[in-house]
């Protein structure tokens, strides 16, 4: 690994702490990011020759603090000169620039990271902006990397981030008014954004690749960060468990050519056993914290049943269907109800599953969702209604935006003839 790669890895690990701390000190997101970027540049210039310091996070924070002090001193000097020549400066001619006490403001790093998460997932932002800002400020990804991950042009990412910062500036970043109760109230939004990042990596909505494992890794890292900050909260543990358990199947979800492989056809010897153990441990921690019936906990329990079944035939579908029944009561979204239909189709037979799927036929949210006709086609094929199954698979292929998935569905349509 080259020196630039080492700096990039450390930056990915430490940037959220540096930006979070600077944001609390300056209350200015752009300034915090600029100061943190200055520290990164310094690392790129000095570490290749001087070597990586023993505590790179503290080194970056120290450099950023010095840059911040320089910034405020320059601003203060500018104010004095402007006053002397009778000019105003950005409408702040009567204000005195205050240099924050940076030395006294470095002992709340974990809180800073949580605050930064709450800022990037501010309810005033769109979901796309929340994701872009989270990956930029907490993941340390460049706009180019974010654009590549979500298959959008880099200028689009730049615009989203710029708009997000403008919205935050207009809304005011309530860093000081967010007490612990308010932080916990907003935590579900943070978890949702992290899971959206993961799901895009697990099953890409568009493009030529069905999966983007790097996004899954980043989402797991972010969830681990949240768990480290609020270890006694069950839902972050549950989300971490869910993502570890699902990610354990990534090596077997595609064939050597990149085509999707159904769960029942996957080579289970290729499943990542370390990820399964970590997911199971996180699920146990969630249950010990009293969160067995949360939305992520139920999904993690379902993923654990798949991960620990010795074979597809030995999967306890009755138990999984029961978890889906509970999940559908907790969050009766059309997608959850569709997955519940799949589970009951496996537990109680394809006719039972088809009845549940047909109840969803009029759901507006599923009108363009390719997995509705895909699931219906699968159940019809199992019932021997091949011509109807073919038509459903073709309809699903027409709705799919991912090239791999579209090709896979057309293959299933051909096989149903």
């Amino acid at each position: 690994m080259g020196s630039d790669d080492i700096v990039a890895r450390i930056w990915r690990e430490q940037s959220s702490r540096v930006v979070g701390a600077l944001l609390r000190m300056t209350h200015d997101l752009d300034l915090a990011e600029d100061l943190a970027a200055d520290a990164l540049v310094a690392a790129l210039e000095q570490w290749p020759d001087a070597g990586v310091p023993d505590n790179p996070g503290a080194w970056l924070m120290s450099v950023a603090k010095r840059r911040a002090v320089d910034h405020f001193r320059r601003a203060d000097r500018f104010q004095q000169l402007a006053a002397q020549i009778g000019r105003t400066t950005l409408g702040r001619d009567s204000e005195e620039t205050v240099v924050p006490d940076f030395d006294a403001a470095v002992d709340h790093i974990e809180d800073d990271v949580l605050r930064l998460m709450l800022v990037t997932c501010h309810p005033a932002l769109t979901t796309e902006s929340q994701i872009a800002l989270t990956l930029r400020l907490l993941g340390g990804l460049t706009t180019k990397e974010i654009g590549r991950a979500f298959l959008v042009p880099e200028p689009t990412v730049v615009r989203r981030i710029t708009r997000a910062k403008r919205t935050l500036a207009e809304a005011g970043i309530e860093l000081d008014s967010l007490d612990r109760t308010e932080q916990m109230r907003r935590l579900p939004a943070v978890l949702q954004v992290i899971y959206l990042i993961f799901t895009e990596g697990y099953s890409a909505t568009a493009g030529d690749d069905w999966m983007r494992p790097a996004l899954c890794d980043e989402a797991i890292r972010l969830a681990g960060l949240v768990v480290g900050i609020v270890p006694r909260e069950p839902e972050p543990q549950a989300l971490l468990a869910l993502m570890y358990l699902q990610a354990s199947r990534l090596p077997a979800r595609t064939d050597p050519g990149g085509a999707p492989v159904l769960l029942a056809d996957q080579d289970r010897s290729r499943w990542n056993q370390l990820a399964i153990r970590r997911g199971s441990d996180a699920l146990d921690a969630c249950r010990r914290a009293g969160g067995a019936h949360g939305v992520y906990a139920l999904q993690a329990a379902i993923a654990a049943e798949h991960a620990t079944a010795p074979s597809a035939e030995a999967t306890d579908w009755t138990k999984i269907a029961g978890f889906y029944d509970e999940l559908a009561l907790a969050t009766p979204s059309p997608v959850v109800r569709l997955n519940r239909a799949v589970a009951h189709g496996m537990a109680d037979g394809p006719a039972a599953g088809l009845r549940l799927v047909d109840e969803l036929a009029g759901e507006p949210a599923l009108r363009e969702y390719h997995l509705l006709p895909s699931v219906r086609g699968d159940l019809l094929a199992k019932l021997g209604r091949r011509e109807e199954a073919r038509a459903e698979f073709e309809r699903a292929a027409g709705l799919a935006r991912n090239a791999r998935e579209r090709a896979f569905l057309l293959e299933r349509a051909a096989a149903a003839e």
Side-chain angles (χ1 to χ4, degrees):
M1 183 181 290
S3 58
D4 285 359
D5 293 332
I6 293 172
V7 174
R9 178 180 59 77
I10 293 172
W11 178 249
R12 182 96 17 116
E13 294 169 353
Q14 301 294 334
S15 62
S16 59
R17 292 177 170 84
V18 177
V19 175
L22 290 167
L23 176 61
R24 175 168 52 81
M25 297 170 194
T26 64
H27 284 224
D28 185 325
L29 190 54
D30 280 327
L31 177 58
E33 197 177 12
D34 287 346
L35 293 170
D38 285 349
L40 171 62
V41 171
L44 287 167
E45 291 173 345
Q46 297 180 35
W47 291 2
D49 294 328
V52 177
D54 293 338
N55 188 339
W59 189 97
L60 289 165
M61 193 66 238
S62 176
V63 172
K65 279 170 50 184
R66 286 201 297 272
R67 299 287 193 277
V69 170
D70 290 344
H71 166 84
F72 279 95
R73 283 176 175 163
R74 282 197 304 273
D76 184 50
R77 181 61 180 154
F78 181 73
Q79 293 280 10
Q80 292 176 12
L81 291 172
Q84 288 174 11
I85 61 176
R87 291 174 50 189
T88 61
T89 59
L90 302 176
R92 298 176 59 196
D93 51 319
S94 61
E95 297 179 12
E96 180 182 356
T97 301
V98 177
V99 180
D101 185 355
F102 291 100
D103 289 328
V106 295
D107 297 328
H108 310 283
I109 298 302
E110 300 308 321
D111 283 347
D112 288 336
V113 176
L114 179 58
R115 282 196 189 93
L116 186 59
M117 288 182 176
L118 297 173
V119 167
T120 61
C121 300
H122 193 287
L125 303 180
T126 64
T127 300
E128 291 81 6
S129 296
Q130 289 176 340
I131 290 172
L133 209 53
T134 298
L135 288 173
R136 171 65 177 268
L137 297 181
L138 286 152
L141 272 64
T142 64
T143 52
K144 185 176 182 180
E145 289 172 323
I146 298 170
R148 192 163 58 231
F150 281 87
L151 302 179
V152 295
E154 185 180 1
T156 300
V157 178
V158 172
R159 282 196 296 273
R160 285 177 184 173
I161 290 176
T162 302
R163 276 200 304 268
K165 288 180 177 177
R166 190 185 309 130
T167 301
L168 289 174
E170 292 170 356
I173 303 176
E174 319 128 301
L175 288 175
D176 296 327
S177 62
L178 287 178
D179 59 20
R180 201 65 169 178
T181 301
E182 180 61 18
Q183 290 176 0
M184 291 303 100
R185 194 179 70 81
R186 291 192 184 185
L187 189 59
V190 174
L191 301 183
Q192 182 187 27
V193 166
I194 292 174
Y195 192 44
L196 286 172
I197 293 170
F198 179 87
T199 54
E200 183 60 27
Y202 192 71
S203 295
T205 52
D208 295 330
D209 296 323
W210 193 36
M211 300 184 299
R212 299 192 186 98
L215 278 179
C216 295
D217 292 343
E218 185 57 29
I220 289 173
R221 191 186 72 81
L222 291 173
L225 207 57
V226 177
V227 167
I229 296 169
V230 287
R232 296 182 181 177
E233 290 294 320
E235 279 294 84
Q237 293 277 12
L239 176 61
L240 184 62
L242 170 61
M243 294 193 296
Y244 264 132
L245 291 164
Q246 288 185 316
S248 71
R249 300 199 293 267
L250 288 176
R253 292 190 76 229
T254 54
D255 67 15
V261 178
L262 292 175
L263 176 62
D265 300 327
Q266 291 174 13
D267 177 359
R268 294 179 181 231
S269 68
R270 298 181 62 202
W271 288 3
N272 185 325
Q273 295 302 312
L274 177 60
I276 291 173
R277 284 197 298 276
R278 287 176 173 171
S280 299
D281 289 347
L283 183 56
D284 288 343
C286 162
R287 287 168 171 165
R288 285 196 301 273
H293 303 288
V295 170
Y296 293 119
L298 289 168
Q299 294 178 77
I302 292 166
E305 285 298 321
H306 287 301
T308 55
S311 66
E313 295 75 20
T315 303
D316 189 343
W317 282 103
T318 299
K319 195 171 181 179
I320 290 173
F323 284 134
Y324 269 117
D325 288 343
E326 190 175 350
L327 184 61
L329 288 174
T331 177
S333 77
V335 173
V336 168
R337 291 166 62 200
L338 181 61
N339 290 334
R340 173 174 173 261
V342 173
H344 277 282
M346 295 298 294
D348 308 322
L354 187 61
R355 280 195 296 276
L356 294 173
V357 169
D358 286 345
E359 290 176 5
L360 297 168
E363 280 288 345
L366 298 180
R367 191 170 298 147
E368 304 296 324
Y369 190 49
H370 66 289
L371 290 183
L372 177 63
S374 174
V375 168
R376 195 165 190 275
D378 184 67
L379 293 167
L380 287 166
K382 289 174 179 172
L383 289 168
R385 295 161 62 176
R386 302 174 66 87
E387 185 58 30
E388 292 172 87
R390 181 190 60 75
E392 290 292 353
F393 285 131
E394 287 180 346
R395 190 160 74 91
L399 294 172
R401 293 168 54 201
N402 183 279
R404 295 285 185 183
E405 203 164 17
R406 186 164 50 246
F408 178 73
L409 289 165
L410 289 174
E411 286 179 11
R412 295 205 73 187
E417 289 181 347

